[in-house]
Amino acid sequence: MLQDIGVSHADNAAQAPSPQLDPAAMRAKYRDAGLDESDLAADPFDQFEHWFAQAVDSGLHEPNAMVLATADAAGRPSSRTVLLKRYDRRGFVFFTNYGSRKGRDIEANPSVSLLFPWHGIARQVIVSGTAERTGRDETAAYFRTRPHGSQLGAWASEQSSRVASRAQLDQLYAELADRYPEGVDVPAPSQWGGYRVVPESVEFWQGRENRLHDRLRYVRAGGAWAVERLCP
């Protein structure tokens, strides 16, 4: 059949990945230590704070990086990495351009998921919930803490929209740098701000040997949190 469609056995073999690049052959051995219900804090926020501190102490690169998954009004999904900038018992906060794809998705369908992929310590945290805008005061307060260049970048980039060239983007940035030189206050753009993900469930995933991982998930049960164990 390969000869019939113009593909030789040699061509087919040439397309096979090398052993070093074959994803099916890539395996990591996970730790013996597991996660037991008795190890958990009373609520997911305290548990997250404990694990987040350990991720930071472990030296992971950008432990606050999280994969945000959204879906538009038609249910078409998309995902991207964003940075956690604040968390408390109200939820998990990140900032973005409201006109970006993620922003448009959230306005149409506020159900989202966050994934913290702490591969270096064989852990993941998965947050499922609803995204809502933070107040403008909260957005402005955070915006003032950003480096000057990042403040200008928030104005220069109409995130997710098409741009003719890199040169055009750089020109927009240069014009803003002239308008707001270092030391001059840069106002927070009206189209830019925060989202808080209010969790409905938070799963803590601990890698274990033989792919028998521990998965403990907090779920809202009225005004409290219940914990359930999931099969790996």
Side-chain angles (χ1 to χ4, degrees):
M1 289 296 293
L2 288 174
Q3 297 293 341
D4 292 342
I5 60 174
V7 179
S8 68
H9 289 285
D11 291 335
N12 189 56
Q15 295 172 7
S18 69
Q20 293 82 8
L21 298 178
D22 182 3
M26 295 177 181
R27 291 180 174 85
K29 183 177 180 180
Y30 294 106
R31 63 178 65 186
D32 293 329
L35 179 64
D36 190 76
E37 285 82 348
S38 62
D39 300 326
L40 293 179
D43 66 59
F45 306 109
D46 286 341
Q47 184 63 33
F48 179 84
E49 183 172 20
H50 176 59
W51 268 27
F52 185 62
Q54 291 184 334
V56 172
D57 290 343
S58 74
L60 288 180
H61 178 65
E62 291 193 324
N64 62 325
M66 55 190 185
V67 179
L68 167 68
T70 61
D72 64 15
R76 292 181 292 257
S78 62
S79 59
R80 74 290 291 160
T81 302
V82 298
L83 296 176
L84 175 71
K85 290 301 179 181
R86 185 171 299 134
Y87 66 93
D88 55 28
R89 278 175 164 70
R90 295 175 296 168
F92 302 83
V93 176
F94 65 94
F95 293 85
T96 190
N97 188 304
Y98 290 137
S100 65
R101 180 174 181 177
K102 66 179 103 43
R104 296 194 304 269
D105 281 359
I106 289 170
E107 295 306 308
N109 178 5
S111 295
V112 304
S113 177
L114 302 173
L115 167 66
F116 293 86
W118 296 332
H119 302 307
I121 55 175
R123 286 177 174 175
Q124 299 180 77
V125 179
I126 304 166
V127 179
S128 298
T130 302
E132 57 186 33
R133 291 192 186 192
T134 63
R136 290 307 297 175
D137 288 347
E138 188 172 351
T139 287
Y142 169 69
F143 190 80
R144 287 193 295 271
T145 70
R146 288 165 61 91
H148 181 72
S150 296
Q151 293 178 346
L152 298 180
W155 278 97
S157 174
E158 295 183 15
Q159 198 174 79
S160 299
S161 65
R162 292 184 179 181
V163 64
S165 66
R166 175 71 198 203
Q168 180 179 345
L169 187 62
D170 289 341
Q171 178 61 34
L172 288 170
Y173 182 91
E175 291 171 0
L176 286 161
D178 288 340
R179 182 177 178 184
Y180 298 106
E182 192 78 44
V184 173
D185 287 341
V186 181
S190 60
Q191 76 277 15
W192 188 95
Y195 283 107
R196 175 174 286 104
V197 178
V198 180
E200 297 167 2
S201 69
V202 185
E203 178 184 330
F204 293 85
W205 183 101
Q206 175 66 71
R208 297 290 302 276
E209 284 190 318
N210 303 315
R211 297 301 188 263
L212 294 177
H213 313 304
D214 286 322
R215 297 175 60 190
L216 297 181
R217 181 170 66 185
Y218 292 82
V219 292
R220 286 194 183 274
W225 292 93
V227 175
E228 55 190 17
R229 177 173 287 271
L230 305 177
C231 287

